[in-house]
Amino acid sequence: MPELPEVQTIVSDLKKVLPKLKIRDVWCDFKKMIKQPESFAQFKKMVIGKKFLDVKRKGKNILINLSENKTLLIHQKMTGHMLYGKIDPQDRFIHLVFTLSNGKHLALSDIRKFAKVLICETDRLDTLKDIKDIGPDPLDKTFTFKKFKEIFSKKKGVIKNGLMKQEIIAGIGNIYANEILWEAGIHPFKKIQKIKKEEFEKIYKAIKKILKQGVRMRGDSVVDYRDAFGKKGRYQNFHKAYQKEGEKCSKNDGGIIKRIKETGRSAFFCPKHQKL
DNA sequence: CCCGGCGCCTGAGGGC
DNA sequence: TGCCCTCAGGCGCCGG
């Protein structure tokens, strides 16, 4: 499931190959994924002939900046991922394909069809809910401890849910939330209001450390994530908590990783060193 | 306003 | 073998 490191990997890949190429054609077999403009015919008209200028990320959103003041926003949701290169026409999970001026393709593969795509005027991007209603990016230089603590100390609920709320902080999903809290030594269900300053410091450091590590490993392919060239990431080999239920905590503290389901999501943690 | 729960989707995996 | 159930979880939406 693409979270910040997976999205960042795709964005870096695409940034290397897309700029200066043009869109020759576009094909789609699941038009529902296109949220804006209204019809696929309009979408097609808006992108054909446009040139790729830049590729960016905001939270889990991929922003592909095109010529003539257009930006493609892509959210990969659970199983979506962008692919660049020669696309296998037999691949039934590919639902959107751009044919590029160099003869290659840019495609969106998505088993579960949750991904969404939209076009926005570049200078109106900030008016989009997807952009304006999300919190700061945890890897941004301006995301300081002061800012982190300031944002979180106002929030209610438990820490793991807070970390996963995009309107508070943008980019963290279930895998990294579990890993961050394992690293920080904080129980996933600890109430935000009960978290002390030193604990906030540990969480802050863990956010930076774990997300950077995820980026370095080119993402987490525990399910079906691939980079823009179809290669797996490596972060799944470094999980300490996520999907480690029943295993010994790698801190060797005698804890056995426990799993608790709440509101559809699994929390994984070590009951020994992650205290409430 | 906030919180919980459901719907969107489909493949994998377990039980029988 | 094959059917059916559950699970995976990002996020929009709805209702209490």
Side-chain angles (χ1 to χ4, degrees):
Chain A
M1 39 242 65
E3 301 178 35
L4 188 152
E6 291 74 38
V7 180
Q8 184 58 48
T9 302
I10 298 255
V11 164
S12 318
D13 286 351
L14 295 182
K15 212 177 152 76
K16 279 182 210 147
V17 292
L18 291 184
K20 293 180 185 161
L21 294 176
K22 280 187 175 180
I23 299 172
R24 291 271 185 258
D25 200 4
V26 56
W27 167 93
C28 180
D29 74 343
F30 187 69
K31 303 188 170 59
K32 224 172 126 182
M33 76 162 85
I34 299 170
K35 308 296 178 189
Q36 216 177 283
E38 296 258 317
S39 76
F40 182 64
Q42 286 172 281
F43 179 85
K44 207 168 167 173
K45 214 172 150 186
M46 280 170 95
V47 297
I48 289 181
K50 301 289 187 294
K51 189 196 273 185
F52 291 100
L53 300 180
D54 199 6
V55 188
K56 295 180 195 168
R57 177 182 65 75
K58 181 88 207 272
K60 298 179 191 171
N61 297 293
I62 300 172
L63 298 170
I64 302 180
N65 185 212
L66 302 174
S67 57
E68 293 173 56
N69 194 32
K70 297 282 184 291
T71 292
L72 269 171
L73 181 151
I74 298 157
H75 194 305
Q76 308 178 111
K77 298 279 179 85
M78 295 284 297
T79 54
H81 51 265
M82 298 303 291
L83 287 169
Y84 171 84
K86 247 343 195 182
I87 298 310
D88 176 5
Q90 302 281 65
D91 187 338
R92 64 199 174 93
F93 301 131
I94 289 178
H95 300 296
L96 176 68
V97 180
F98 297 93
T99 304
L100 311 177
S101 49
N102 63 354
K104 301 210 172 176
H105 301 293
L106 173 66
L108 173 55
S109 162
D110 188 7
I111 293 177
R112 292 175 63 185
K113 299 180 173 173
F114 287 169
K116 74 167 184 180
V117 176
L118 61 89
I119 303 181
C120 179
E121 303 281 311
T122 306
D123 58 14
R124 290 182 53 82
L125 260 184
D126 292 344
T127 67
L128 278 183
K129 274 194 165 158
D130 311 68
I131 301 297
K132 74 173 164 66
D133 290 350
I134 62 176
D137 195 288
L139 289 190
D140 199 291
K141 287 179 288 293
T142 64
F143 185 70
T144 57
F145 173 67
K146 190 168 171 271
K147 194 164 176 182
F148 167 70
K149 191 170 169 294
E150 192 184 295
I151 296 169
F152 268 83
S153 48
K154 280 183 277 193
K155 301 295 172 188
K156 282 189 268 178
V158 301
I159 185 63
K160 178 165 166 284
N161 291 350
L163 288 174
M164 290 172 62
K165 274 191 187 150
Q166 304 306 298
E167 68 269 24
I168 303 180
I169 177 172
I172 300 170
N174 201 34
I175 297 175
Y176 290 98
N178 281 299
E179 294 300 318
I180 286 165
L181 292 172
W182 182 92
E183 176 70 24
I186 305 291
H187 195 290
F189 298 155
K190 180 147 188 154
K191 293 250 194 292
I192 296 172
Q193 290 303 321
K194 296 224 162 155
I195 294 177
K196 300 190 189 83
K197 190 178 178 212
E198 314 87 75
E199 293 173 321
F200 272 125
E201 271 167 11
K202 284 181 187 163
I203 298 169
Y204 175 79
K205 280 184 190 151
I207 290 172
K208 293 269 187 188
K209 179 178 168 183
I210 298 293
L211 293 179
K212 280 182 188 167
Q213 198 182 356
V215 171
R216 214 160 45 239
M217 297 298 158
R218 299 187 51 80
D220 190 306
S221 296
V222 67
V223 190
D224 47 11
Y225 167 77
R226 298 291 184 274
D227 69 17
F229 308 112
K231 287 195 174 153
K232 284 188 177 189
R234 302 188 306 279
Y235 192 70
Q236 67 281 5
N237 304 322
F238 297 90
H239 289 176
K240 308 286 201 215
Y242 186 77
Q243 289 195 344
K244 294 289 179 186
E245 186 185 15
E247 294 185 28
K248 278 187 197 164
C249 174
S250 65
K251 275 199 191 295
N252 264 328
D253 53 11
I256 302 289
I257 301 299
K258 202 174 164 187
R259 167 180 170 176
I260 296 179
K261 277 206 61 169
E262 42 84 54
T263 59
R265 260 149 279 202
S266 288
F268 297 86
F269 62 101
C270 166
K272 206 84 182 182
H273 83 272
Q274 291 178 259
K275 296 294 183 193
L276 265 174

